[in-house]
Amino acid sequence: MAEQTWDAVDAYFSERLVGHDPVLEAATAAAEAAGLPPIAVAPNQGKLLHLLALTQGARRILEVGTLGGYSAIWLARALPADGTLITLEIDPAHAGVARANLARAGLEKVAEVRLGRAADSLAALVADGAEPFDLVFIDADKQSNPEYFARALELTAPGSLIVVDNVVRRGAVADPESDDPAVVAIRRLHDLIAAEPRVSATSVQTVGSKGYDGFTLARVQR
Ligand code: SAH
Ligand code: DHB
Ligand code: MG
């Protein structure tokens, strides 16, 4: 099956179910103009995150890995007016683009970009006794996924949902011999989840305009 077909199907679904969205299109254009890599979630994936946040009735959302704020806009749009999204980003240029994109989307009151190493920002949230988040989206440096997942467990409560992007890596996740640090970490994440009685989880493969990859969904049970 050609990647061309995946693109055509993504374009079809996005045209039918996402439609023309000037704010999101401006966010993508601004990210591209600033030279950010084109690795944001696809429009139909962004809408999936949005629907998951709505289904959660999310009032507090945490994102690890902001880039230009594309997925943050989708997630923050699911929040009530007094809701909160905190998104963590290490690169000041990415954070700058994201802040401008979130402001253009009218979300500056609910969405906050925190600059720094995500591991440090997560440790600070835990140390500050942050209220539990209803949804956590993990989408930063893949080799840190086990640590981010452990922190997400500390920052959530029963009923919360943890979503992890890019867990398939063109199928490399199934290779126990892989020495790619991202793949090793994603496999370690699955070991952690498998041994974790506090969550019920599944992972699904995806194809589309962002290639062949996938998501893990873990619901905090207790
Ligand atoms: N969630 C975004 C895409 C994020 S891309 C979207 O779908 O729109 C991954 C981002 O994680 C990049 O912006 C990268 O700079 C950031 N990142 C990488 N390592 C990081 C770290 N250690 N701490 C915080 N952010 C990091
Ligand atoms: C990469 C990162 C992502 O978050 C993504 O969705 C796709 C690719 C990357 O680092 O290559
Ligand atoms: Mg990603």
Side-chain angles (χ1 to χ4, degrees):
M1 186 66 55
E3 305 209 357
Q4 214 180 319
T5 307
W6 307 348
D7 285 355
V9 172
D10 257 9
Y12 169 69
F13 286 153
S14 295
E15 186 259 318
R16 291 282 69 191
L17 304 176
V18 178
H20 177 54
D21 189 318
V23 164
L24 287 169
E25 287 160 17
T28 299
E32 190 186 346
L36 271 52
I39 57 174
V41 294
N44 52 339
Q45 295 176 331
K47 188 156 183 188
L48 172 64
L49 295 172
H50 176 76
L51 294 174
L52 289 171
L54 286 175
T55 301
Q56 283 299 100
R59 305 188 63 84
R60 290 176 54 78
I61 298 174
L62 175 63
E63 178 178 69
V64 185
T66 313
L67 194 65
Y70 184 84
S71 53
I73 292 173
W74 273 114
L75 288 164
R77 279 178 171 178
L79 289 168
D82 62 345
T84 301
L85 175 137
I86 297 174
T87 180
L88 312 179
E89 175 56 53
I90 198 170
D91 186 315
H94 296 186
V97 172
R99 288 185 182 121
N101 281 337
L102 286 160
R104 192 192 295 106
L107 294 164
E108 69 279 352
K109 291 226 168 63
V110 290
E112 180 197 342
V113 182
R114 288 201 184 165
L115 187 61
R117 290 177 64 238
D120 297 338
S121 300
L122 290 165
L125 283 165
V126 171
D128 293 348
E131 270 177 62
F133 292 90
D134 306 299
L135 190 152
V136 181
F137 179 47
I138 299 176
D139 189 23
D141 53 311
K142 310 311 168 191
Q143 67 276 12
S144 299
N145 275 346
E147 178 177 2
Y148 297 157
F149 183 79
R151 287 302 194 187
L153 273 180
E154 294 183 82
L155 290 163
T156 49
S160 298
L161 182 68
I162 302 169
V163 180
V164 188
D165 194 22
N166 311 118
V167 297
V168 172
R169 314 293 292 191
R170 303 192 70 85
V173 69
D175 177 9
E177 309 296 323
S178 174
D179 55 10
D180 175 341
V183 172
V184 171
I186 293 161
R187 290 180 62 85
R188 201 146 57 76
L189 170 70
H190 281 80
D191 293 340
L192 274 180
I193 292 174
E196 177 52 70
R198 284 175 289 177
V199 302
S200 177
T202 191
S203 294
V204 290
Q205 307 181 64
T206 57
V207 295
S209 59
K210 299 292 167 163
Y212 170 33
D213 218 318
F215 292 105
T216 295
L217 277 77
R219 184 178 193 274
V220 180
Q221 306 277 72
R222 56 186 160 99

